[in-house]
């Protein structure tokens, strides 16, 4: 059997694995990344759609100015400038009766940022808006340190109701944030994740709430550049290499299905929990994380013969589709038509539907929200389903998320689902990758020679 030696082996080539590998390579470690698929990127990648003659993301991804670890990663690999941020936290909404409104929160200290934003947000009474002061008071009490553990026993809905936030304010302000960041509906999602997001986004640094979009396909944003970064520093990125077991007696060892054996000083798993559970693992690594469940996201891409809205994105209210992204604006594409990327998060009720049913559903929602859509011709459409888009952050799930260190001092866990203090997002994935790299930097590492 071919044996390859390295300093560190990283399992999984998504945001967590690649951020970890590049951080280690930056510190001089020779790293091998093992990715089972033929391409890198995990749950955030793009591909060429030959029918549409277009780059298509596996699902539209939104970034935030408070994604500090992600921006550090992109800076490292030289693609930080491929994320474009809005000036303010500005989101245009259209509701199911065609009414338009705008949430525009200036980069002011809390709670004035939110207060200014909802002052102009339509469909709310002053009584609805006044509820925000109670939320502000709650965050003043819980501004720093760990958030109260009981939040993970409450749903978003129960927490916001308990804080006197009216249903209208919830529908217009908190639900789009909750469903977008947590990938579950407010009745199902734990309040802890929403409190983490609100504290970071609105009650932290002014400006943290600015929205960012990638101006290129997701793979171009990070996958190729991260690979080049690792390989330029003596490492290797092996695709089509499914790891099957990890052992840690003496040194650490990873066996793969078809790519041989890899020996190293340390191993980082940056796999999702179900993939990790299917490996042969060192004793004591298995844990309650085995019980984490998943939530789906459905994406629908439409190519229209004319534009139906302007600006980068539109939040849809009172519909099954949550967001419409205008790829012409995001990717600076010219031409008469419009390429839209639509997102249904927490899509348990939809993921089993056929592509045609999903196309009909999305078309119906757009027609209700955007009168212009009824005049447009759909030239092409595609559907991308991600049944295991993120872990499902239901109450009690946070307690199941493991830390980065394991019972074995040579084996570490990364991934958006680990205990990062954030919902399972890109930022959580990258924060976990960087944390594992920092833990490994403390290990005495014998420099290995990369040889097969
Ligand atoms: C449609 C969609 C939309 C999203 N929107 C957003 C958004 O707007 N903003 C946001 O912040 N987040 C969003 N997310 C979440 C974000 O994509 C994830 O949090 C992030 O990509 C997870 O990265 P990761 O590296 O932890 O895991 P993954 O990307 O899942 O990487 C794990 C890798 O391990 C590989 N692997 C599995 N088993 C093995 C094995 N045995 N051996 C070797 N390799 C293996 C997999 O192929 C995969 O490449 C979205 C997710 C989806 C699916």
């Amino acid at each position: 059997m071919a044996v390859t030696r390295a300093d560190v082996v990283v399992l999984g080539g998504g945001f967590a694995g690649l951020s970890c590998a590049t951080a280690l390579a930056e510190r001089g470690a020779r790293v091998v990344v093992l990715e089972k698929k033929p391409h890198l990127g995990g749950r955030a990648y793009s591909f060429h759609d030959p029918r549409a003659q277009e780059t298509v993301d596996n699902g539209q991804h939104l970034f935030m100015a408070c994604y500090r670890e992600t921006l550090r990663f992109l800076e490292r690999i030289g693609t930080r400038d491929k994320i474009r941020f809005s000036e303010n936290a500005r989101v245009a909404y259209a509701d199911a009766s065609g009414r338009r409104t705008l949430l525009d929160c200036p980069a002011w200290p809390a709670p004035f940022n939110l207060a200014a934003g909802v002052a102009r947000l339509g469909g709310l009474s002053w009584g609805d808006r006044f509820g925000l002061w109670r939320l502000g008071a709650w965050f003043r009490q819980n501004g720093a340190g760990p958030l109260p553990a009981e939040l993970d026993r409450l749903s978003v809905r129960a927490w916001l109701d308990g804080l006197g936030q009216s249903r209208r304010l919830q529908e217009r302000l908190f639900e789009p944030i909750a469903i977008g960041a947590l990938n579950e509906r407010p009745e199902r999602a734990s309040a802890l994740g929403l409190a983490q997001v609100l504290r970071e986004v609105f009650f932290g640094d002014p400006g943290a709430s600015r929205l960012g979009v990638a101006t290129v396909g997701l793979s171009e944003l990070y996958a190729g550049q991260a690979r080049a970064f690792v390989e330029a520093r003596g490492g290797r990125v092996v695709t089509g290499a499914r790891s099957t077991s990890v052992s840690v007696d003496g040194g650490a060892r990873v066996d793969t299905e078809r790519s041989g054996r890899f020996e190293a000083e340390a191993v980082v798993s940056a796999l999702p929990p179900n993939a990790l559970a299917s490996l042969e693992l060192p004793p004591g690594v298995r844990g309650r994380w085995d019980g984490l469940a998943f939530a789906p996201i459905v994406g629908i891409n439409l190519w229209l013969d004319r534009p139906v809205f302007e600006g980068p994105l539109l939040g849809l209210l009172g519909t099954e589709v949550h967001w419409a992204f205008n790829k012409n604006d995001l990717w600076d594409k010219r031409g008469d038509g419009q390429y839209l990327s639509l997102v249904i998060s927490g899509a348990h009720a939809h993921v089993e539907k056929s592509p045609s049913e999903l196309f009909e559903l999305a078309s119906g929602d757009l027609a209700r929200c955007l009168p212009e859509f009824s005049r447009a011709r759909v030239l092409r459409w595609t559907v991308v389903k991600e049944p295991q888009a993120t872990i499902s952050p239901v109450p009690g799930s946070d307690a199941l998320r493991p830390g980065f260190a394991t019972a074995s001092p040579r084996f570490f866990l990364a991934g958006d689902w680990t205990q990062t203090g954030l919902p399972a997002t890109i930022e959580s994935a990258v924060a976990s990758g960087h944390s594992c790299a920092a833990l490994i930097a403390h290990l005495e590492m014998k420099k290995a020679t990369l040889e097969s």
Side-chain angles (χ1 to χ4, degrees):
M1 178 192 295
V3 179
T4 302
R5 284 206 53 77
D7 294 328
V8 183
V9 175
V10 175
L11 313 181
F15 263 107
L18 294 176
S19 57
C20 182
T22 54
L24 287 162
E26 190 174 42
R27 294 184 171 121
R30 267 158 307 173
V31 186
V32 169
V33 178
L34 301 177
E35 165 55 51
K36 89 171 172 184
K37 290 194 181 152
H39 59 84
L40 297 172
R43 280 168 282 153
Y45 71 100
S46 46
F47 55 93
H48 181 73
D49 180 338
R51 241 174 23 102
Q53 283 297 306
E54 191 91 70
T55 298
V56 172
D57 288 335
N58 69 314
Q60 182 62 46
H61 282 62
L62 201 54
F63 296 74
M64 308 240 20
C66 59
Y67 277 22
R68 288 178 210 93
E69 296 297 322
T70 306
L71 295 176
R72 201 153 72 81
F73 166 52
L74 297 180
E75 187 79 54
R76 178 182 310 128
I77 60 172
T79 57
R80 163 75 179 75
D81 62 337
K82 304 268 190 267
I83 302 285
R84 190 180 83 203
F85 285 103
S86 59
E87 217 177 285
N88 288 343
R90 182 179 298 137
V91 180
Y93 289 108
D95 72 18
S97 51
R99 273 193 304 263
R100 302 287 286 263
T101 185
L102 183 72
L103 176 71
D104 190 1
C105 300
W108 295 347
F112 303 105
N113 50 357
L114 263 179
V118 296
R120 283 171 290 178
L121 186 63
L124 297 174
S125 70
W126 284 103
D128 296 327
R129 295 182 176 107
F130 193 70
L132 269 186
W133 294 103
R134 289 187 64 184
L135 189 78
W138 190 93
F139 276 104
R140 272 195 300 284
Q141 269 173 15
N142 296 283
L147 286 161
E150 67 261 23
L151 284 184
D152 193 37
R153 290 191 284 274
L154 288 178
S155 68
V156 163
R157 177 74 78 218
W159 181 55
L160 292 175
D161 282 348
L163 279 174
Q165 308 301 298
S166 74
R167 286 296 169 100
R168 273 194 303 220
L169 185 63
Q170 292 187 37
E171 272 160 29
R172 304 221 138 207
L173 178 66
F174 297 114
E175 288 184 18
I177 299 172
I179 190 94
L182 309 180
N183 195 24
E184 279 294 8
R185 289 173 186 273
E187 290 75 17
R188 284 177 66 99
S190 147
L192 182 64
L194 183 64
Q196 288 165 341
V197 171
L198 293 178
R199 185 163 80 170
E200 189 65 33
V201 170
F202 290 113
F203 294 89
D205 291 345
S209 54
R210 288 176 302 126
L211 300 175
V213 289
T215 56
V216 292
L218 284 166
S219 296
E220 194 182 333
L221 177 68
Y222 73 107
Q225 289 289 109
R227 170 181 226 146
F229 189 95
V230 169
E231 292 183 343
R233 285 155 187 80
R236 273 178 62 190
V237 177
V238 192
T239 48
R242 193 173 90 84
S243 44
T244 51
S245 78
V246 178
S247 58
V248 287
D249 20 317
R253 201 170 61 217
V254 176
D255 284 334
T256 65
E257 211 165 47
R258 277 191 294 270
S259 309
R261 172 167 292 175
F262 294 80
E263 292 177 349
E265 297 299 311
V267 175
V268 178
S269 160
L271 309 178
N274 52 348
L276 178 64
S278 72
L279 262 55
E280 240 176 82
L281 292 172
V285 171
R286 286 181 195 283
R288 294 202 304 146
W289 49 264
D290 240 350
L292 288 164
F294 293 93
I297 296 180
V298 169
I300 301 119
N301 299 298
L302 302 180
W303 285 267
L304 309 178
D305 67 343
R306 71 194 71 191
V308 294
F309 72 89
E310 288 182 357
L313 75 154
L314 192 65
L316 305 185
L317 298 172
T319 49
E320 296 302 312
V321 174
H322 298 114
W323 298 100
F325 288 83
N326 173 3
K327 296 295 254 192
N328 290 62
D329 183 281
L330 269 44
W331 290 356
D332 199 17
K333 284 162 63 70
R334 318 232 169 259
D336 297 334
Q338 192 170 38
Y339 167 16
L340 297 184
S341 170
L342 312 178
V343 180
I344 308 178
S345 298
H348 299 278
H350 303 299
V351 70
E352 299 296 337
K353 290 187 172 144
S354 69
S356 322
E357 284 174 300
L358 289 164
F359 168 68
E360 292 303 330
L361 176 90
S363 303
D365 279 356
L366 285 184
R368 275 193 293 283
C369 295
L370 294 167
E372 301 86 327
F373 182 76
S374 310
R375 289 187 285 277
R377 205 155 59 85
V378 181
L379 305 175
R380 277 184 308 276
W381 57 271
T382 60
V383 169
V384 185
K385 296 181 188 176
E386 288 282 357
Q388 300 184 335
T390 64
I391 52 168
S392 170
V394 290
S397 58
D398 194 68
L400 307 182
R401 294 169 71 178
F404 313 123
T406 68
S408 159
R410 291 178 184 276
F411 188 45
F412 300 86
L413 300 184
D416 61 347
W417 58 283
T418 55
Q419 191 50 262
T420 55
L422 296 169
T425 52
I426 291 172
E427 177 65 0
S428 177
V430 176
S432 74
H434 285 171
S435 298
C436 287
L439 287 174
I440 288 172
H442 294 301
L443 280 181
E444 262 308 285
M445 276 205 296
K446 294 184 234 124
K447 291 284 172 222
T449 323
L450 253 187
E451 58 189 20
S452 293

